[in-house]
């Protein structure tokens, strides 16, 4: 047999052997590799204020194999109240641990002014509707496996803090005026922390304008927490006769404040009116 033909037969035999080996290896992989599973875990708020919030959609990938896997592709869109928003996504190549579960977080910054023309109207809702859609590709020994990212649900809308007067204290009183401490209790009605940049408002006592109260920056309110702040104010009786009568006699008087509460870049109107008991210190 010519040498050229012998070489061809040898190469042909080697090719058949290699193909058979690859087929056997692929069959082995098909039998040994278990397909990962993915499920939606939760939708949660992060870094919320009265102007915006970050909504994290969390998925969980369960990889039952001893081999770690990687993300190959992410195609993701996020909608709130029917409007598409810019959303972040996990990076391609992110490692998914072996023999366990890995969290995938899809963050989206939701600016409430983009959702509703009047932010205070939006903030009076209990929850906002969201929709997520897209696909996730995971690199495996069997190639890239695609998983759907389809979820509809709601997330809580940040609630405006509750502001209440406590009993004011008269620390000094003369014929011409009085110095009064006005305690305020600011309660976060959300389970998550909320920043409050300040509360400012015009104050009335017994219907008379007596001045302006301003808290300054209150910082972060703990979730479901209450912050107490005391604001002193000197009241001139010459310009507030009805207030003078109420403060001199002591006891109960109507106190009201009209102003704004600011959280991050968003201010919301604040209107308080309470019958409170004035005490002398």
């Amino acid at each position: 047999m010519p040498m050229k033909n012998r070489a061809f037969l040898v190469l042909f035999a080697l090719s058949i052997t290699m193909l058979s080996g690859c087929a056997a290896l692929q069959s082995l992989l098909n039998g040994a590799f278990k397909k990962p599973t993915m499920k939606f875990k939760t939708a949660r708020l992060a870094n919320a204020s009265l102007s915006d919030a970050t909504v994290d959609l969390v998925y969980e990938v369960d990889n039952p194999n001893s081999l770690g896997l990687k993300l190959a592709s992410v195609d993701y869109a996020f909608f709130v109240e029917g409007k598409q928003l810019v959303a972040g996504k996990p990076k391609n190549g992110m490692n998914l641990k072996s023999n366990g579960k890995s969290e995938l977080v899809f963050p989206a910054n939701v600016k409430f002014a983009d959702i509703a023309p009047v932010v205070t109207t939006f903030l009076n809702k209990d929850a906002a509707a969201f929709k997520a859609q897209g696909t996730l590709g995971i690199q495996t020994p069997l190639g890239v496996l695609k998983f759907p990212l389809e979820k509809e649900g709601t997330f809580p809308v940040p609630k405006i803090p509750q502001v209440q007067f406590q009993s004011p204290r008269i620390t000094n009183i003369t014929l011409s005026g009085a110095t009064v401490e006005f305690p305020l209790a600011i309660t976060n009605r959300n389970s998550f922390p909320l920043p409050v940049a300040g509360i400012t408002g015009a104050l009335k006592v017994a219907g008379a304008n007596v001045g302006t109260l301003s808290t300054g920056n209150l910082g972060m309110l703990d979730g479901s927490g209450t912050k107490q702040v005391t604001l002193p104010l000197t009241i001139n009786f010459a310009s507030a006769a009805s207030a003078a009568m109420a403060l001199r006699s002591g006891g109960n008087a109507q106190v009201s404040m009209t102003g704004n509460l600011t959280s991050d870049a968003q201010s919301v109107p604040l209107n308080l009116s309470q019958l409170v008991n004035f005490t002398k210190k």
Side-chain angles (χ1 to χ4, degrees):
M1 180 180 295
M3 183 63 68
K4 186 180 291 186
N5 290 344
R6 286 181 182 177
F8 175 78
L9 289 174
V10 170
L11 288 174
F12 180 74
L14 286 173
S15 299
I16 294 297
T17 302
M18 291 178 64
L19 287 173
S20 299
C22 289
L25 178 60
Q26 187 65 36
S27 178
L28 181 63
L29 286 174
N30 286 338
F33 183 78
K34 298 177 182 177
K35 183 178 179 181
T37 58
M38 186 176 74
K39 67 178 182 179
F40 175 79
K41 190 173 181 181
T42 188
R44 65 192 181 202
L45 285 191
N47 304 319
S49 72
L50 297 184
S51 64
D52 67 335
T54 298
V55 182
D56 288 341
L57 262 61
V58 184
Y59 287 81
E60 186 177 77
V61 177
D62 187 1
N63 176 19
N65 303 283
S66 59
L67 176 69
L69 305 175
K70 290 186 177 182
L71 291 190
S73 62
V74 182
D75 180 19
Y76 178 66
F78 184 72
F79 302 81
V80 174
E81 299 290 311
K83 296 184 179 181
Q84 185 172 359
L85 304 176
V86 176
K89 55 191 180 183
K91 294 181 179 179
N92 293 351
M94 174 182 172
N95 292 325
L96 303 175
K97 63 184 178 182
S98 59
N99 295 317
K101 299 174 181 178
S102 300
E103 279 194 353
L104 298 179
V105 179
F106 296 80
N109 182 254
V110 181
K111 296 186 182 302
F112 303 143
D114 295 338
I115 305 301
V118 180
V119 172
T120 50
T121 300
F122 179 81
L123 293 174
N124 284 322
K125 295 166 64 72
D126 289 328
F130 73 82
K131 181 175 72 172
Q133 62 185 38
T135 57
L136 186 77
I138 298 178
Q139 186 68 54
T140 76
L142 305 181
V144 176
L145 298 181
K146 297 285 189 178
F147 294 85
L149 294 169
E150 302 289 342
K151 183 64 182 179
E152 293 187 28
T154 61
F155 62 86
V157 173
K159 295 178 176 60
I160 299 170
Q162 181 185 58
V163 182
Q164 288 183 308
F165 283 109
Q166 306 296 306
S167 294
R169 295 183 293 272
I170 304 170
T171 60
N172 184 48
I173 188 165
T174 66
L175 292 176
S176 60
T179 300
V180 183
E181 293 180 345
F182 291 90
L184 286 177
I186 303 98
T187 300
N188 184 1
R189 299 188 294 149
N190 305 284
S191 61
F192 46 84
L194 192 78
V196 177
I199 296 172
T200 302
L203 187 71
K204 289 184 178 182
V205 174
N209 294 314
V210 296
T212 300
L213 294 182
S214 182
T215 65
N217 194 330
L218 295 175
M220 193 71 69
L221 293 183
D222 293 336
S224 304
T226 298
K227 182 169 286 190
Q228 302 274 353
V229 59
T230 299
L231 306 175
L233 183 67
T234 298
I235 299 173
N236 186 343
F237 290 162
S239 58
S242 58
M245 293 178 59
L247 294 176
R248 283 173 178 154
S249 61
N252 294 334
Q254 195 75 23
V255 175
S256 61
M257 184 167 71
T258 303
N260 293 285
L261 182 150
T262 303
S263 173
D264 207 1
Q266 181 63 46
S267 290
V268 295
L270 184 67
N271 294 290
L272 302 179
S273 184
Q274 289 178 237
L275 184 65
V276 296
N277 182 56
F278 284 81
T279 60
K280 292 185 178 180
K281 192 170 180 179

